[in-house]
Amino acid sequence: MKQLMTGNEAIARGAYEAGIRFASAYPGTPSTEILENIALYKDDIVAEWAPNEKVALEAVIGYSIAGGRAIASMKQVGLNVAADPLFSFAYTGCNGSAVIITADEPGIHSSQTEQDNRYYAKMAKLPMLEPTDSQQAKDMVIAACEISEKYRTPVIIRMTTRICHSKSIVELGSRREVPNKEYKKDIWQFTTMPAVSQKLRFQLEERLKKLTEEANNSPFNHIEWNNKSIGVIANGIAYQYAKEVFGEEASYLRIGFSYPIPMELITEFASRVDTLYVIEEVEPFLEEEIRAAGIECHGKDLLPRIGELSPKIIEETIKGVKKELLPMQPDKVTSRPPVLCPGCAHRAVFYELSKRKDLFISGDIGCYGLGALPPLSAMDTCICMGASVSAGHGAAKAFKGYNLDKHVVSVIGDSTFFHSGMTSLLNVVYNKSKTTTVILDNRITGMTGHQDHPGTGYTAQGEESQEASIEKIVNSLGVNDVKTINPLQLTELHEAIDSALENPEPSVIIARWPCALKKLSAKDKEEFGKHVKRYIVKKEQCIGCKKCIRTGCPALRYDKGNKKVLIDPIMCNGCSLCAQVCPVGAIVLDRK
Amino acid sequence: MVKVKSILIVGVGGQGTLLASKILTQGLMETGYDVKMSEIHGMSQRGGSVSAHIRYGERVYSPVISEGEADILLSFEEMEAYRWLNYLKPGGKAIINNYRLPSAPILTGQTDYPEGLIEEMAKNVDVIMVNAMDIALGLSFAKSMNIVLLGALIKIAELNNINWENIIRRIVPEKYLEGNLRAFEAGMNSVS
Ligand SMILES: Cc1ncc(C[n+]2csc(CCOP(=O)(O)OP(=O)(O)O)c2C)c(N)n1
Ligand code: SF4
Ligand code: SF4
């Protein structure tokens, strides 16, 4: 049977067909849907959201050493977090098979960096596969399991946004049931003590040699002979773009098994074409090695290193063809930046913080990162997950050390707190910085599309589970001043911030209200009740002061004609924030 | 079979462009075309600008449409149509929803919604306006605006030989099925 699938759906299908039984991941664009789709194979695969990527990979390591087939998936920066176990895992290798998916983001659509994770394969000395479409994404999971088992090595599959989020046709197969490998205790293989690692270090090089041979003969490294005046070496989505541009005018070497680099095959291909182009997104990963092998080629001398490629870029830079485009003036349209949803409780927190002038607001990654943008503009930094609390600690030390009168407020989401905020807060307490940490507990991982986490009380496959209590965690870390409040009650929020800032000790405010888009769980309904309310503006009372507009809620419009505000009835989520800031009580609950 | 055709669907996060492109690509695949579709989401869920690239034909390579390559641009919103205009081929068709969604800088009064965009586009391409919101409201089903637009697209793309009803039945939840089928029909009839 044929099905249209995204690359992510195809990876999930591949995991199913390969007989994988365990999957662990932490959400992150563009990789999130891999685990979401694996979770649907409830009877065959155990799928888990881990608190962070390091934990996810380590769970997979344990599963595979114990003899099972497992897969971990993460976005590109997620592999930074999981890099520590990755390198050790390359040394110990696996027993059952282990597949690691990294989903890179050329173009930085929804990330903080544009890093080329192919270098991780090279640095950790691990085999790497790169699919060019959804069919290959599926096939490669199955092949990765086989390579993993044959060479007892974890295998990396490197995707990019366009592979993850593009749909193409996939031929479905059936699931193979693979028995587990027998587990035998072997400290000379599975404990990375110096004496063991010294031995494993040699094993790693030996394995790499064998894998090089495997890569040179892999069906994923495929030559397609056409006209030999142009030769194209391309990987992943770049192959599709090149094929679109050159058609049969060129011969192709499509690289799918990209580390160890199949240099023998490349040399052979290069020797038979007149001009060689290496077409790859972001860094010249292949090109560097090809040049180092003494093969002449074009690549980044013509193509950009920054951002995604496209057929148009290849056509313009390599072929020198420029198409006529329809005339337009881009500055005629205004930008459409993403905004916090109507009714988002984060808005209230940033609204309150934005009114105070003496603050350094150490932000973090999540929907609430949007609090940095106008009209709220309530954020000074945003680095990486968990950094709000730890960078806030450093900033507080600096302000104190240089006698500057600035208070530090660190703002972190619930999922981010579990991911990597807990150790940072421990540092605040242990090393005594007077910071206030606001934990935006919206009961879900909002940014990546609403995944459960340890605080929601449900697992990735919908089972009830122990609900982690942020309050108790924070207490145990040693914070004595902890207040849990409803951020949509502005007075309560205001007082909590005042009191926290006055306290010379570290303090925590837990702003607990569910994300406006969250599908409420049974537990949520019990705690927060159902709330389907709308607010309306009483036209005759509105004085057009625009105070409510300054909250930045996109359901509010200012009508320049009659100088009044109105509320879009379809968009309003009834949070009441605008009603609370209106100085004349013109915004009221819609009784209809 | 035909040469590869490219349709670009654009709009604002939350407008239902995804469902429309899902129905479209499913129908194209079942008709025997090779199909590829590419979309960018993530931050765009939060009211940002969104796009779905759809390409079909005998053999499709790139899942993305380059500037100047789209045969049809379907825009769920006026200003978005202009933002993506240069993706359209000279001589291509722009199907535009007669609907405005002001973006954040406009809502907060920093700037005004741009005027005259449709007139300007009409000078260079074939612009087809659809009153999808009015049609959807007329069916007392505002949320079916996306399917009205899909109906219009199918007609303009000359894909009405495919049994769309059958496909919509399989994709759309039972509860909304009747409303969506009527919306689709109304959309088809809204253009010629
Ligand atoms: C290391 C790493 N992993 C994953 C991500 C993707 N990501 C960005 S924010 C976020 C979680 C946000 O959830 P939460 O902290 O609950 O805030 P919310 O979006 O709900 O406001 C994730 C998973 C990332 N940027 N970095
Ligand atoms: S998805 Fe939830 S957390 Fe994110 S902006 Fe919307 S309401 Fe806020
Ligand atoms: S009550 Fe006011 S602030 Fe809240 S969602 Fe509705 S319009 Fe926006």
Side-chain angles (χ1 to χ4, degrees):
Chain A
M1 200 181 88
K2 282 187 174 157
Q3 204 173 315
L4 253 180
M5 285 184 155
T6 61
N8 284 348
E9 289 165 343
I11 292 283
R13 179 72 196 183
Y16 168 76
E17 291 182 14
I20 282 176
R21 290 210 189 189
F22 180 78
S24 185
Y26 181 72
T29 313
S31 71
T32 311
E33 302 83 4
I34 295 175
L35 193 101
E36 287 180 329
N37 280 284
I38 292 180
L40 302 177
Y41 298 105
K42 272 201 181 117
D43 297 335
D44 301 290
I45 309 178
V46 173
E48 299 179 350
W49 287 127
N52 67 33
E53 294 85 353
K54 172 171 146 67
V55 175
L57 179 54
E58 286 159 351
V60 161
I61 293 174
Y63 199 92
S64 81
I65 289 179
R69 284 202 161 183
I71 186 167
S73 51
M74 56 203 71
K75 71 180 285 157
Q76 91 284 37
V77 288
L79 198 53
N80 298 342
V81 176
D84 199 11
L86 179 79
F87 285 77
S88 295
F89 195 22
Y91 277 61
T92 65
C94 42
N95 175 30
S97 36
V99 181
I100 301 161
I101 314 275
T102 166
D104 291 11
E105 267 228 316
I108 324 184
H109 296 285
S110 188
S111 293
Q112 52 269 46
T113 65
E114 182 177 66
Q115 58 185 60
D116 192 329
N117 275 10
R118 291 179 296 173
Y119 289 98
Y120 270 118
K122 184 172 174 179
M123 195 167 163
K125 299 176 183 282
L126 289 174
M128 170 170 63
L129 305 177
E130 292 184 74
T132 189
D133 58 18
S134 299
Q135 178 70 50
Q136 268 204 347
K138 191 198 83 168
D139 296 344
M140 280 182 176
V141 179
I142 300 164
C145 284
E146 280 157 14
I147 297 166
S148 176
E149 202 164 286
K150 185 167 167 196
Y151 297 96
R152 304 191 65 167
T153 175
V155 177
I156 295 177
I157 297 183
R158 186 242 187 186
M159 319 264 288
T160 58
T161 308
R162 291 292 175 182
I163 301 290
C164 293
H165 287 169
S166 291
K167 282 189 177 177
S168 57
I169 298 173
V170 178
E171 183 71 49
L172 303 187
S174 46
R175 177 169 167 94
R176 58 213 79 190
E177 283 305 338
V178 189
N180 62 321
K181 296 269 161 187
E182 188 195 344
Y183 170 71
K184 282 203 221 79
K185 182 170 173 173
D186 182 356
I187 61 161
W188 290 97
Q189 189 65 42
F190 296 127
T191 64
T192 51
M193 294 177 287
V196 180
S197 287
Q198 285 160 11
K199 174 187 96 89
L200 296 177
R201 178 76 186 83
F202 285 93
Q203 206 183 69
L204 192 55
E205 290 303 324
E206 273 311 303
R207 191 168 77 201
L208 215 51
K209 265 191 216 140
K210 292 189 200 139
L211 285 164
T212 308
E213 211 178 301
E214 183 86 30
N216 276 311
N217 296 302
S218 167
F220 293 127
N221 294 330
H222 177 77
I223 294 183
E224 199 181 315
W225 291 116
N226 299 305
N227 187 332
K228 292 187 177 138
S229 58
I230 300 175
V232 170
I233 296 179
N235 66 329
I237 196 69
Y239 164 77
Q240 304 288 352
Y241 297 160
K243 185 84 200 205
E244 187 79 36
V245 172
F246 295 105
E248 312 222 314
E249 290 165 42
S251 293
Y252 302 87
L253 169 53
R254 189 181 66 215
I255 304 279
F257 194 144
S258 54
Y259 199 80
I261 294 177
M263 200 49 79
E264 244 173 66
L265 190 68
I266 290 174
T267 311
E268 139 93 10
F269 178 77
S271 71
R272 294 169 63 183
V273 297
D274 299 341
T275 313
L276 183 65
Y277 295 98
V278 183
I279 304 184
E280 54 192 325
E281 276 181 329
V282 197
E283 304 298 341
F285 178 79
L286 295 168
E287 185 186 338
E288 281 167 351
E289 302 268 340
I290 293 171
R291 284 183 190 274
I295 299 169
E296 250 182 69
C297 64
H298 290 289
K300 297 294 168 186
D301 52 333
L302 303 170
L303 292 161
R305 235 179 220 261
I306 300 175
E308 294 187 287
L309 291 179
S310 70
K312 178 170 174 268
I313 292 173
I314 295 172
E315 198 161 48
E316 283 181 1
T317 53
I318 297 184
K319 270 190 155 180
V321 177
K322 228 177 146 123
K323 265 206 201 89
E324 266 306 310
L325 296 183
L326 287 168
M328 69 168 292
Q329 294 153 276
D331 52 353
K332 276 211 172 164
V333 287
T334 39
S335 64
R336 197 179 285 283
V339 285
L340 292 172
C341 301
C344 177
H346 298 341
R347 176 172 290 109
V349 173
F350 290 113
Y351 178 77
E352 263 308 310
L353 291 175
S354 73
K355 292 199 297 195
R356 297 164 198 256
K357 295 293 160 237
D358 57 341
L359 297 183
F360 177 92
I361 303 173
S362 184
D364 218 305
I365 318 250
C367 285
Y368 52 95
L370 296 170
L373 301 177
L376 296 163
S377 310
M379 200 171 283
D380 288 81
T381 56
C382 171
I383 315 289
C384 68
M385 291 189 74
S388 54
V389 181
S390 19
H393 168 79
K397 288 269 164 160
F399 293 137
K400 185 165 176 235
Y402 294 100
N403 290 322
L404 297 168
D405 188 23
K406 244 186 185 325
H407 286 286
V408 173
V409 176
S410 305
V411 182
I412 186 166
D414 47 349
S415 185
T416 305
F417 179 70
F418 293 122
H419 180 281
S420 46
M422 299 190 295
T423 41
S424 303
L425 189 57
L426 187 60
N427 189 45
V428 165
V429 176
Y430 175 53
N431 286 309
K432 303 186 208 172
S433 66
K434 191 227 125 13
T435 62
T436 295
T437 301
V438 182
I439 303 176
L440 303 171
D441 183 12
N442 65 353
R443 320 297 305 137
I444 202 80
T445 317
M447 174 87 177
T448 42
H450 306 93
Q451 292 75 30
D452 279 291
H453 60 55
T456 68
Y458 293 90
T459 69
Q461 289 177 311
E463 275 172 42
E464 271 202 51
S465 176
Q466 174 71 39
E467 182 181 321
S469 158
I470 297 181
E471 211 167 273
K472 283 190 194 154
I473 292 172
V474 167
N475 273 146
S476 325
L477 292 175
V479 183
N480 299 315
D481 180 1
V482 185
K483 287 193 189 63
T484 301
I485 53 130
N486 173 356
L488 291 177
Q489 298 298 329
L490 280 185
T491 323
E492 200 182 329
L493 175 63
H494 187 90
E495 285 168 9
I497 297 176
D498 273 351
S499 118
L501 289 176
E502 273 158 27
N503 190 344
E505 304 277 309
S507 52
V508 167
I509 297 170
I510 304 172
R512 188 170 164 110
W513 191 260
C515 159
L517 297 191
K518 182 180 181 188
K519 199 167 165 280
L520 296 187
S521 67
K523 291 179 192 176
D524 291 328
K525 282 184 192 146
E526 205 175 298
E527 180 177 349
F528 305 102
K530 267 204 191 136
H531 95 132
V532 265
K533 290 186 281 186
R534 300 280 174 276
Y535 279 76
I536 47 169
V537 181
K538 280 194 185 159
K539 240 193 186 153
E540 54 304 341
Q541 279 185 37
C542 174
I543 53 169
C545 67
K546 297 206 260 184
K547 271 225 159 88
C548 57
I549 297 277
R550 256 165 249 140
T551 64
C553 174
L556 294 160
R557 319 244 139 128
Y558 181 67
D559 182 345
K560 277 194 178 158
N562 64 10
K563 297 203 167 58
K564 308 249 176 214
V565 167
L566 42 102
I567 293 178
D568 183 322
I570 298 178
M571 290 176 81
C572 173
N573 272 316
C575 72
S576 83
L577 181 65
C578 56
Q580 290 179 58
V581 305
C582 175
V584 293
I587 304 180
V588 295
L589 192 64
D590 186 2
R591 300 266 167 216
K592 268 186 276 169
Chain B
M1 268 213 193
V2 291
K3 203 174 140 294
V4 172
K5 292 246 188 231
S6 300
I7 297 175
L8 183 64
I9 302 183
V10 302
V12 177
Q15 276 194 305
T17 50
L18 274 182
L19 179 66
S21 63
K22 184 169 182 190
I23 296 170
L24 176 62
T25 49
Q26 184 68 22
L28 291 167
M29 181 187 78
E30 289 183 19
T31 310
Y33 290 110
D34 187 20
V35 186
K36 285 192 180 172
M37 198 266 271
S38 182
E39 68 205 20
I40 291 291
H41 37 82
M43 294 290 277
S44 47
Q45 290 185 23
R46 317 275 166 266
S49 153
V50 293
S51 64
H53 301 227
I54 293 143
R55 309 191 69 228
Y56 62 101
E58 192 169 343
R59 182 83 171 84
V60 180
Y61 293 103
S62 169
V64 306
I65 305 171
S66 289
E67 288 99 315
E69 287 285 316
D71 298 280
I72 298 178
L73 169 68
L74 168 61
S75 180
F76 281 43
E77 202 274 347
E78 283 184 21
M79 186 165 77
E80 291 310 306
Y82 192 87
R83 191 189 308 283
W84 293 90
L85 181 68
N86 58 11
Y87 275 75
L88 200 56
K89 263 187 189 147
K93 291 180 176 164
I95 307 171
I96 304 174
N97 189 8
N98 203 347
Y99 185 72
R100 292 180 170 192
L101 263 179
S103 64
I106 300 168
L107 289 176
T108 48
Q110 294 164 45
T111 170
D112 293 319
Y113 195 98
E115 294 296 337
L117 298 179
I118 302 290
E119 294 74 9
E120 192 188 321
M121 287 187 273
K123 279 188 218 150
N124 295 305
V125 296
D126 191 359
V127 171
I128 300 141
M129 297 300 292
V130 181
N131 287 321
M133 189 43 126
D134 292 344
I135 295 173
L137 287 173
L139 298 168
S140 329
F141 188 22
K143 288 224 155 116
S144 69
M145 186 172 82
N146 56 345
I147 305 298
V148 173
L149 290 164
L150 176 68
L153 169 69
I154 296 299
K155 181 78 169 284
I156 301 291
E158 296 174 11
L159 290 167
N160 25 358
N161 52 339
I162 297 172
N163 187 344
W164 292 104
E165 181 179 328
N166 185 0
I167 290 151
I168 295 172
R169 275 188 192 283
R170 272 179 287 134
I171 293 181
V172 172
E174 184 69 43
K175 207 163 43 154
Y176 305 113
L177 186 61
E178 282 317 308
N180 275 316
L181 286 174
R182 275 186 290 138
F184 184 76
E185 176 96 36
M188 290 247 278
N189 294 335
S190 71
V191 291
S192 50

